C-alpha cells in the first residue's frame, strides 16, 4: 500500500481550494499573503501556533459555507508533521482493521515513516489474531518482533501484555519452562511499573502452567496469592478460572471429593452466565466424577459440556470428547473409546490444539497396548513424533523415539532401530546443550 501524505503547504492549498478561498482571505495579523504563498510553495513554514490559528479560521469558514469537513481536519491538522499525520492515519486505520492484509498495509506505512510505537501495536494485534486462531508459533514470532522494537526504543506501554501473551504461546506449545520465564518477566515488570491491570491474569496463567506440570505446590502458591488480592472478586471470570485450577490441583493429589465440591460450588452459587466457562466446569466435573468411579454421573456432565461446547466453545469441544473417552476405556468398551478419541483428534487438528492432540494419542496408546495392536502403536508413536517436530517439543520427540525403539526391539525388527537411535541421540544432545 502506498500512502502519500501532503506537506503543510499542500494541505493549506488543498483546504483553500476546497473552501474556494483566496490567499488574501486567509491573511491574519503578522502573516501576509506573500508569506502564505511561500508556505504553499513549500519555501516557508508556519510555526505550530500560527498553523493552529489558521486552521481555526479555516474551520470557521467551513461552518459559514456549510461545507462538511473530514474528522481528521482538526485544529492541529496544519501543524502536524508528515510523520505525525502518518502516525495518526495508522492508529485510526488499526482501530478499524481486522484482516492480516490490512495489518500488513499499516506495517508498510509504519516502516516507511519509522513509526515505532504503532509498529509495536500492529505486531501485537497480529500476534493476538494468530493466538486466537490457535497458531501459537506464528503468534510468538510477531510478539517477539514487537519486543525487539520495545527493547530498542524503550517503549514500555504494551510490554507487560506482550510478555504475558508470549508466555501463553509457550504454554499452548507445552513448553512450560519457557512459559514460566515469560510470565515471571511480566510479573516482575508489573511490580517495577506499579501496573497491575492484568496481574490477576498473569497469576492465573502461572497457576495453570504449574498445574499442567503437576507441580501442585507451586500452583496452589499462585492460587493463594490470587485469592488474597482485594481486586480478584471484581474480575469474576478470572476468579472462577482460578478456582477451577484449584480444583484440578486437588484432583492431582487424588482428593476428588474436594475437587467435586469446588466445581459444584461454582456451578450452583456463582450464577455463571459465560457458557464457555460453564462448559469447562461441566467437563472438569465429569473428569473428577470419573476418577471417583461415578461413571454415570461422569457421562452426564461430559454430555452437558459437549452440548455447550458444540455451540459456544467449539475450539475446546475436543477436550470434552477426548476426556469422555476415559470412561469407556475404563469400562473396557475399547471400540467406542477409539471412535470417540478419533473424533476428538479430528477437532484437535482443525483447531491446532497440540496439548489435547498429544493427550488423545496417549489415550489411544494405552488402549492399543491393552489390545497388543503393535501396528496401531507404531502409527501412534509416529504421529506423536510428527507433531513433536512441528511444535519443536524435544521431550515428546524423545518419548516417541524411545517407545518406537522399545517396540521394534520387542518385535525383533532390529534393522530399523539404528535410524531411530540416531534421531534419539540427536534429541538428547539438544537437551544436553540447553542445560
Amino acid at each position: 500500500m502506498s500512502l502519500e501524505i501532503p506537506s503543510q503547504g499542500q494541505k493549506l492549498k488543498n483546504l483553500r481550494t476546497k473552501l474556494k478561498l483566496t490567499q488574501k482571505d486567509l491573511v491574519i495579523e503578522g502573516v501576509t499573503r506573500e508569506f502564505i504563498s511561500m508556505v504553499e510553495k513549500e519555501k516557508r513554514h508556519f510555526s505550530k501556533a500560527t498553523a493552529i490559528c489558521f486552521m481555526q479560521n479555516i474551520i470557521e469558514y467551513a461552518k459559514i459555507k456549510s461545507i462538511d469537513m473530514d474528522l481528521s481536519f482538526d485544529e492541529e491538522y496544519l501543524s502536524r508533521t508528515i510523520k505525525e499525520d502518518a502516525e495518526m492515519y495508522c492508529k485510526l486505520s488499526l482501530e478499524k482493521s481486522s484482516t492480516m492484509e490490512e495489518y500488513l498495509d499499516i506495517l508498510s506505512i509504519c516502516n516507511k515513516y519509522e513509526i515505532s510505537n504503532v509498529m509495536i501495536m500492529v505486531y501485537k494485534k497480529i500476534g493476538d489474531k494468530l493466538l486466537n486462531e490457535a497458531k501459537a508459533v506464528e503468534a510468538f514470532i510477531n510478539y517477539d518482533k514487537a519486543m525487539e522494537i520495545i527493547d530498542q526504543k524503550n517503549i514500555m506501554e504494551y510490554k507487560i501484555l506482550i510478555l504475558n501473551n508470549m508466555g501463553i504461546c509457550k504454554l499452548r506449545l507445552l513448553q512450560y519452562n519457557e512459559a514460566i520465564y515469560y510470565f515471571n518477566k511480566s510479573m516482575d515488570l508489573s511490580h517495577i511499573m506499579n501496573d497491575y491491570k492484568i496481574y490477576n491474569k498473569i497469576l492465573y496463567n502461572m497457576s495453570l502452567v504449574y498445574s499442567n506440570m503437576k507441580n501442585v505446590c507451586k500452583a496452589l502458591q499462585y492460587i493463594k496469592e490470587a485469592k488474597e488480592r482485594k481486586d480478584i472478586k471484581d474480575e469474576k471470570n478470572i476468579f472462577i478460572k482460578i478456582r477451577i485450577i484449584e480444583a484440578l490441583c486437588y484432583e492431582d493429589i487424588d482428593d476428588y471429593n474436594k475437587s467435586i465440591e469446588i466445581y459444584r460450588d461454582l456451578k450452583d452459587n456463582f450464577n455463571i452466565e459465560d457458557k464457555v466457562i460453564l462448559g469447562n466446569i461441566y467437563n472438569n466435573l465429569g473428569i473428577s466424577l470419573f476418577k471417583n468411579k461415578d461413571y454415570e454421573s461422569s457421562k452426564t456432565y461430559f454430555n452437558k459440556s459437549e452440548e455447550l461446547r458444540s455451540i459456544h466453545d467449539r475450539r475446546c469441544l475436543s477436550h470434552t470428547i477426548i476426556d469422555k473417552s476415559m470412561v469407556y476405556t475404563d469400562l473396557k468398551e475399547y471400540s467406542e473409546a477409539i471412535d470417540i478419541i478419533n473424533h476428538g483428534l479430528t477437532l484437535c487438528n482443525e483447531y491446532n490444539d497440540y496439548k489435547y492432540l498429544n493427550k488423545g494419542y496417549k489415550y489411544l496408546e494405552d488402549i492399543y497396548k491393552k489390545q497388543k495392536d503393535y501396528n496401531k502403536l507404531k502409527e501412534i508413536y509416529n504421529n506423536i513424533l510428527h507433531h513433536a517436530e512441528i511444535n519443536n517439543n524435544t521431550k515428546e520427540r524423545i518419548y516417541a523415539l524411545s517407545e518406537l525403539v522399545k517396540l521394534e526391539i520387542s518385535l525383533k525388527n532390529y534393522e530399523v532401530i539404528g535410524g531411530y537411535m540416531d534421531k534419539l541421540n540427536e534429541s538428547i544432545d539438544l537437551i544436553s546443550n540447553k542445560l
Side-chain angles (χ1 to χ4, degrees):
M1 178 182 180
S2 177
L3 177 71
E4 293 303 323
I5 296 173
S7 65
Q8 187 181 75
Q10 289 169 324
K11 289 182 194 175
L12 181 60
K13 188 171 183 179
N14 292 343
L15 285 170
R16 190 170 59 74
T17 304
K18 181 181 175 72
L19 296 175
K20 296 184 172 140
L21 297 170
T22 66
Q23 291 175 345
K24 191 175 179 181
D25 291 329
L26 293 177
V27 169
I28 61 172
E29 188 178 344
V31 180
T32 64
R33 188 198 67 75
E34 289 75 19
F35 189 89
I36 294 170
S37 176
M38 291 177 77
V39 169
E40 288 188 359
K41 291 174 182 175
E42 299 181 34
K43 293 179 179 178
R44 299 296 294 271
H45 195 84
F46 289 140
S47 68
K48 181 164 185 174
T50 303
I52 289 172
C53 184
F54 262 76
M55 198 61 204
Q56 286 170 341
N57 290 344
I58 287 169
I59 291 169
E60 283 303 311
Y61 273 118
K63 287 178 183 175
I64 292 166
K65 297 188 175 212
S66 300
I67 296 174
D68 289 332
M69 298 282 279
D70 189 285
L71 290 175
S72 64
F73 296 150
D74 58 7
E75 289 186 354
E76 295 191 351
Y77 176 65
L78 281 177
S79 67
R80 281 194 294 271
T81 65
I82 290 176
K83 182 173 180 177
E84 286 169 344
D85 272 332
E87 180 176 338
M88 185 176 179
Y89 173 85
C90 288
K91 283 181 176 178
L92 290 171
S93 298
L94 192 56
E95 287 176 10
K96 297 180 284 187
S97 299
S98 60
T99 68
M100 196 63 72
E101 184 180 1
E102 289 169 327
Y103 292 145
L104 293 175
D105 282 344
I106 297 168
L107 262 184
S108 70
I109 297 168
C110 289
N111 274 313
K112 180 178 177 179
Y113 294 101
E114 299 179 351
I115 312 168
S116 301
N117 60 322
V118 182
M119 285 178 73
I120 293 165
M121 294 162 65
V122 178
Y123 280 126
K124 181 189 173 295
K125 281 262 194 181
I126 294 172
D128 293 346
K129 177 178 172 63
L130 291 165
L131 190 58
N132 193 49
E133 293 170 356
K135 297 174 181 175
V137 173
E138 296 93 330
F140 183 87
I141 290 167
N142 281 278
Y143 290 136
D144 195 47
K145 287 177 180 177
M147 281 300 301
E148 191 176 331
I149 300 167
I150 285 169
D151 291 337
Q152 284 174 355
K153 305 293 183 180
N154 197 29
I155 301 170
M156 304 298 286
E157 186 178 356
Y158 295 98
K159 193 168 184 178
I160 295 170
L161 274 167
I162 292 171
L163 285 168
N164 179 64
N165 286 3
M166 291 173 89
I168 293 171
C169 290
K170 293 299 182 181
L171 176 57
R172 297 262 181 95
L173 293 167
L174 313 188
Q175 296 169 14
Y176 296 135
N177 288 323
E178 291 184 51
I180 290 167
Y181 169 79
Y182 287 106
F183 292 143
N184 268 326
K185 289 193 78 169
S186 189
M187 288 179 77
D188 290 344
L189 194 59
S190 296
H191 293 307
I192 291 167
M193 296 180 65
N194 196 29
D195 181 349
Y196 296 96
K197 287 191 288 289
I198 67 158
Y199 194 76
N200 290 329
K201 288 182 182 178
I202 305 169
L203 288 173
Y204 163 73
N205 288 329
M206 276 297 231
S207 65
L208 179 60
V209 73
Y210 278 114
S211 172
N212 284 354
M213 293 173 77
K214 305 302 178 188
N215 189 335
V216 171
C217 184
K218 270 284 193 182
L220 289 173
Q221 174 188 320
Y222 286 105
I223 289 166
K224 182 175 182 290
E225 182 181 348
K227 286 169 70 177
E228 288 175 353
R229 285 181 58 79
K230 290 179 182 178
D231 62 346
I232 190 66
K233 290 290 177 71
D234 297 331
E235 297 185 71
K236 181 180 172 183
N237 284 354
I238 293 292
F239 178 73
I240 290 167
K241 287 179 179 180
I242 284 169
R243 293 292 325 269
I244 290 170
I245 302 299
E246 185 179 14
L248 289 171
C249 288
Y250 284 111
E251 184 186 304
D252 285 337
I253 55 175
D254 299 332
D255 191 345
Y256 305 122
N257 289 325
K258 180 65 177 176
S259 65
I260 290 167
E261 178 191 318
I262 292 171
Y263 290 132
R264 289 195 189 280
D265 175 52
L266 290 173
K267 176 177 69 73
D268 297 335
N269 299 319
F270 278 78
N271 190 28
I272 299 171
E273 296 175 359
D274 189 321
K275 297 294 190 284
V276 172
I277 292 175
L278 196 57
N280 188 25
I281 289 170
Y282 286 154
N283 181 78
N284 291 0
L285 184 51
I287 294 170
S288 290
L289 288 164
F290 158 73
K291 291 187 175 178
N292 222 23
K293 304 297 181 187
D294 187 349
Y295 295 130
E296 288 310 308
S297 296
S298 174
K299 283 183 185 179
T300 297
Y301 280 102
F302 279 133
N303 289 338
K304 281 175 179 276
S305 176
E306 194 170 343
E307 186 179 340
L308 280 178
R309 283 181 159 174
S310 63
I311 300 168
H312 302 285
D313 192 16
R314 190 169 167 79
R315 191 175 68 82
C316 288
L317 179 58
S318 61
H319 298 196
T320 299
I321 291 168
I322 288 170
D323 287 337
K324 184 169 75 170
S325 73
M326 296 186 297
V327 179
Y328 295 92
T329 301
D330 226 42
L331 293 171
K332 296 184 171 54
E333 297 175 18
Y334 297 135
S335 180
E336 182 75 15
I338 290 167
D339 287 345
I340 290 170
I341 294 168
N342 281 326
H343 179 205
L345 290 175
T346 300
L347 288 166
C348 287
N349 277 309
E350 183 180 341
Y351 289 95
N352 296 313
D353 190 334
Y354 179 45
K355 179 182 175 183
Y356 261 78
L357 191 73
N358 212 46
K359 194 172 189 178
Y361 285 139
K362 297 289 179 69
Y363 285 173
L364 285 176
E365 175 193 10
D366 182 51
I367 293 170
Y368 292 139
K369 277 183 175 178
K370 289 181 171 73
Q371 294 182 324
K372 297 184 179 179
D373 189 334
Y374 303 121
N375 286 329
K376 285 291 185 184
L377 275 173
K378 282 186 197 178
E379 188 181 314
I380 292 301
Y381 294 137
N382 277 304
N383 280 328
I384 293 172
L385 178 61
H386 171 71
H387 288 285
E389 287 174 344
I390 288 174
N391 290 284
N392 195 27
N393 191 320
T394 308
K395 180 183 173 185
E396 288 302 323
R397 190 170 189 263
I398 288 172
Y399 176 84
L401 289 166
S402 299
E403 293 302 315
L404 280 167
V405 168
K406 285 193 281 186
L407 181 60
E408 298 295 4
I409 288 174
S410 71
L411 297 173
K412 296 184 169 53
N413 294 331
Y414 302 120
E415 67 281 359
V416 300
I417 293 169
Y420 291 138
M421 285 302 302
D422 289 342
K423 290 182 179 179
L424 183 58
N425 289 330
E426 179 187 313
S427 298
I428 291 169
D429 287 343
L430 275 175
I431 287 185
S432 300
N433 292 335
K434 286 182 180 180
L435 297 176

